[in-house]
Amino acid sequence: MISQISERKISVIRWGMVLGWAFIATMLLNDALSLNQSANEIITIESSVLFQGQPINIEPFSLFNKIFWTIIIPLIPVSLLLFGHSTWRRICPLSAIMQIPRKLNIQFSKKIISKDGEITRSKLEVNKNSWLAKNYWYLQFFILFSAVTGRILFYNADPIGLLVIFSTLIISALIMGYLFSGKTWCHYICPMGPVQKFYSGTSGLLEQKAHFSNSNITQSMCRTSDNKSNCVACKTDCPDIDLEKNYWSEITENGRKFFYFGFPGLVIGFYLYYFLYSGNWEYVFTGQPVKDINQIQSLLNPGLFINNQIIKIPKIIAAPGVIALCILLTNIIGRTLQNHYQNLRLKAGSPLSEKEYLHAAFNISVFITFNVFYIFSGRSNLNSLPFYLTYIIDFSLIAFSTIWLVKSFKRTAQEYKIESVGNTLRNNIKRSPINWNEVLENRSVVDLSHHEIYALARIMPKISKSESSTIYKEALSDAFYRGDLKTEQGLMIIDDLKTKLHISQKQHEAFLNDLISNNITTHNI
């Protein structure tokens, strides 16, 4: 799994991705120069594809704009669905660029003068009670909305426009990397951050779950070149440490709800607008939008063509308006269907928790968005392939998303809780002097499921006090070093174990103080 690949090797891949960006940027610049030189030599050829009722003209266009939008971008959702959030986070080129100030040791630090006059310096962090920490889902969605709308208006076919966007992202990542510690850019600003979470859900199909790892360095956790933790705790319930824990702990947040119900509208609205703009779907399926080199000059032209009638609303207003309306509608529809499902379960006498209702709604939202995206994205390229290859690709995409949906639907917060404590209990039970083969009728502890391991907690009161203390101390230590004690869910798991093992609050505090003392001593060394 990618989480276990050394940081040195991943760093090579990351910087390879950066060089890939640099290559694309160079080719975009080359396309821009070529188009400019050939501007006076254009031979107009009439196409059978209609735009607002008239045949469009085939003109030279930017090849690398087309490659970027119709080949590279379509690879992202399926990659996230298969390999998960952690894979992208480890190889992301912007992540590499963001870390340059830290690698060069030139990050900004705030001077702090104590009452005694002692001067210290501290790197900036995002306070968990700050506006940014509470509203980053909305901020990232707004940036994403602006980027998607900007694609229609400015840089879908314009290589210079796309170069400007590349440059803006790079400069923004560098600035955030300079000003703040940790992955502040990734967690709170980057428009791809919530998209990664959206398509991964609790995990990608092939992604290793953090709580199944035998290492303290999990998933896409920050690490040094020699694979030691470099975490600065910049995010509570960090998705880079444990994506599923982050999912369940934040699932009821209003910002996450808005994104999960609104993102389908963003995707649908993008493609629907081109239909309403051109007056036909052929314009979309033949990939004409990425060939429209006059998109900037048409900003004030009529932006809608409905029922063979030109609607004289400028494109610069019509495009964001249509997409915003779709986002609003999918939010209303998503929340209405969720409430309807909730009422049906109540009437049937089998209500679910809020997290379970939302999880079901989110899964359906991801499934619909994924498949709607692939109806359109890259379709002009797929249609140029032999028909059997097109069918194989389409079938594979539907199969992947269906398997992901079934797998994800089965997950519950309780399941995650049982699995999380189960690994800790399994390791501690194996070290216990109790003859578990006899207790388990010749079955090995290794063979037990997480549910069976969790069920053993019922017999814990019969274990000697010393054994209970040992098991609890090791479970507490594991939770402490993984950062679980900083989260509500982690505290609930430990509190549940404390009750089952009859550990007093005084014992708990003594064990915890020992851990804190040992941790401070280790850091001082």
Side-chain angles (χ1 to χ4, degrees):
M1 294 295 178
I2 195 167
S3 61
Q4 300 308 312
I5 298 175
S6 72
E7 181 62 14
R8 291 183 187 276
K9 292 179 180 177
I10 288 294
S11 183
V12 172
I13 297 173
R14 256 198 313 267
W15 283 102
M17 297 278 283
V18 173
L19 290 176
W21 267 39
F23 173 75
I24 292 173
T26 303
M27 292 299 101
L28 287 170
L29 184 59
N30 180 67
D31 279 0
L33 293 173
S34 299
L35 287 171
N36 186 55
Q37 289 172 0
S38 63
N40 297 321
E41 304 172 5
I42 293 176
I43 299 175
T44 303
I45 304 173
E46 199 172 85
S47 168
S48 61
V49 179
L50 299 180
F51 171 75
Q52 296 191 352
Q54 301 296 321
I56 64 171
N57 295 325
I58 299 175
E59 299 177 353
F61 59 90
S62 170
L63 177 61
F64 269 81
N65 270 72
K66 179 176 169 61
I67 289 173
F68 182 77
W69 294 122
T70 67
I71 296 178
I72 296 175
I73 291 298
L75 291 174
I76 293 176
V78 69
S79 298
L80 291 169
L81 196 83
L82 289 175
F83 304 110
H85 171 274
S86 60
T87 299
W88 178 258
R89 290 287 266 238
R90 291 206 70 191
I91 66 173
C92 175
L94 280 177
S95 177
I97 292 167
M98 174 205 67
Q99 294 179 48
I100 290 175
R102 181 177 62 80
K103 297 279 187 183
L104 297 177
N105 198 28
I106 58 171
Q107 276 184 300
F108 172 79
S109 56
K110 183 180 179 181
K111 184 165 70 173
I112 301 173
I113 303 175
S114 68
K115 293 180 180 178
D116 301 329
E118 184 181 352
I119 299 176
T120 57
R121 289 193 169 274
S122 175
K123 293 182 174 63
L124 294 180
E125 295 180 358
V126 176
N127 187 292
K128 66 179 181 180
N129 295 316
S130 66
W131 180 91
L132 183 58
K134 293 179 179 179
N135 296 282
Y136 66 92
W137 279 98
Y138 298 108
L139 175 62
Q140 288 174 303
F141 190 90
F142 175 75
I143 296 172
L144 188 62
F145 168 79
S146 301
V148 170
T149 305
R151 179 181 167 185
I152 293 174
L153 300 175
F154 303 109
Y155 45 83
N156 201 20
D158 182 26
I160 294 298
L162 191 52
L163 266 175
V164 169
I165 293 302
F166 272 32
S167 302
T168 303
L169 289 172
I170 290 169
I171 293 169
S172 300
L174 276 171
I175 290 173
M176 294 303 295
Y178 170 73
L179 291 176
F180 292 92
S181 62
K183 290 183 176 179
T184 300
W185 161 262
C186 306
H187 292 314
Y188 300 107
I189 306 295
C190 179
M192 275 301 296
V195 177
Q196 293 159 18
K197 293 178 185 177
F198 180 85
Y199 283 118
S200 297
T202 56
S203 76
L205 279 175
L206 304 176
E207 187 172 21
Q208 183 184 35
K209 292 182 179 292
H211 58 279
F212 287 158
S213 174
N214 293 321
S215 170
N216 287 330
I217 310 296
T218 58
Q219 293 190 325
S220 48
M221 182 177 177
C222 294
R223 61 197 83 188
T224 60
S225 57
D226 55 350
N227 260 30
K228 292 181 180 177
S229 173
N230 196 26
C231 177
V232 296
C234 63
K235 176 81 170 69
T236 305
D237 287 333
C238 176
D240 289 309
I241 296 175
D242 189 339
L243 178 65
E244 186 165 7
K245 181 200 290 186
N246 171 268
Y247 179 85
W248 292 117
S249 66
E250 295 184 355
I251 192 171
T252 58
E253 287 188 1
N254 289 329
R256 185 181 281 262
K257 291 183 207 175
F258 181 82
F259 189 93
Y260 269 78
F261 291 131
F263 189 62
L266 185 67
V267 173
I268 293 169
F270 175 79
Y271 293 107
L272 178 63
Y273 174 72
Y274 276 118
F275 167 73
L276 298 176
Y277 176 49
S278 65
N280 64 89
W281 284 114
E282 189 180 9
Y283 182 83
V284 182
F285 285 118
T286 55
Q288 299 305 319
V290 295
K291 301 175 185 178
D292 180 14
I293 60 173
N294 297 311
Q295 65 176 135
I296 295 178
Q297 290 90 328
S298 64
L299 289 177
L300 299 179
N301 291 353
L304 295 171
F305 185 75
I306 302 173
N307 197 27
N308 292 322
Q309 296 293 320
I310 290 177
I311 311 297
K312 293 184 179 180
I313 299 175
K315 181 182 175 184
I316 197 170
I317 296 174
V322 168
I323 295 176
L325 181 60
C326 288
I327 291 169
L328 177 63
L329 288 175
T330 54
N331 251 291
I332 293 171
I333 292 169
R335 293 168 190 268
T336 301
L337 290 177
Q338 180 210 332
N339 291 334
H340 185 62
Y341 176 57
Q342 191 170 345
N343 291 332
L344 287 176
R345 295 289 304 222
L346 284 171
K347 289 178 181 178
S350 55
L352 300 174
S353 68
E354 183 185 7
K355 288 186 177 182
E356 289 172 308
Y357 287 124
L358 286 171
H359 180 57
F362 288 177
N363 285 329
I364 293 171
S365 176
V366 174
F367 181 80
I368 291 173
T369 306
F370 181 88
N371 286 288
V372 167
F373 177 79
Y374 283 111
I375 289 174
F376 301 100
S377 186
R379 188 54 53 180
S380 60
N381 296 326
L382 288 178
N383 289 342
S384 66
L385 297 174
F387 74 92
Y388 59 88
L389 284 180
T390 303
Y391 288 155
I392 289 172
I393 292 171
D394 285 341
F395 176 79
S396 298
L397 292 169
I398 294 171
F400 291 151
S401 59
T402 302
I403 294 169
W404 178 89
L405 180 67
V406 172
K407 179 185 175 185
S408 186
F409 244 114
K410 294 178 181 178
R411 296 299 295 173
T412 64
Q414 179 67 11
E415 188 86 15
Y416 171 76
K417 175 183 174 182
I418 288 172
E419 289 177 355
S420 296
V421 74
N423 285 331
T424 301
L425 284 174
R426 190 190 304 274
N427 292 331
N428 292 325
I429 286 171
K430 284 192 289 186
R431 289 192 286 267
S432 171
I434 294 175
N435 187 348
W436 290 108
N437 284 339
E438 182 179 332
V439 174
L440 301 171
E441 298 179 348
N442 296 320
R443 290 181 69 194
S444 168
V445 172
V446 178
D447 298 329
L448 298 180
S449 69
H450 288 287
H451 284 274
E452 290 172 320
I453 288 290
Y454 192 74
L456 282 179
R458 295 178 182 177
I459 68 167
M460 290 303 180
K462 298 179 182 179
I463 299 175
S464 67
K465 287 187 177 180
S466 62
E467 283 300 315
S468 294
S469 297
T470 301
I471 290 173
Y472 184 75
K473 280 178 72 174
E474 294 188 3
L476 186 66
S477 175
D478 184 60
F480 178 82
Y481 287 110
R482 290 173 68 96
D484 292 350
L485 298 184
K486 297 177 182 178
T487 69
E488 183 180 346
Q489 187 150 346
L491 289 171
M492 285 175 60
I493 292 171
I494 287 298
D495 192 57
D496 188 45
L497 187 61
K498 181 174 70 175
T499 302
K500 286 182 168 62
L501 292 173
H502 294 278
I503 301 295
S504 68
Q505 183 63 24
K506 189 175 180 180
Q507 285 176 293
H508 166 80
E509 290 173 358
F511 296 153
L512 189 58
N513 287 333
D514 286 342
L515 284 172
I516 294 171
S517 299
N518 290 337
N519 189 51
I520 292 173
T521 303
T522 302
H523 277 287
N524 288 337
I525 292 172

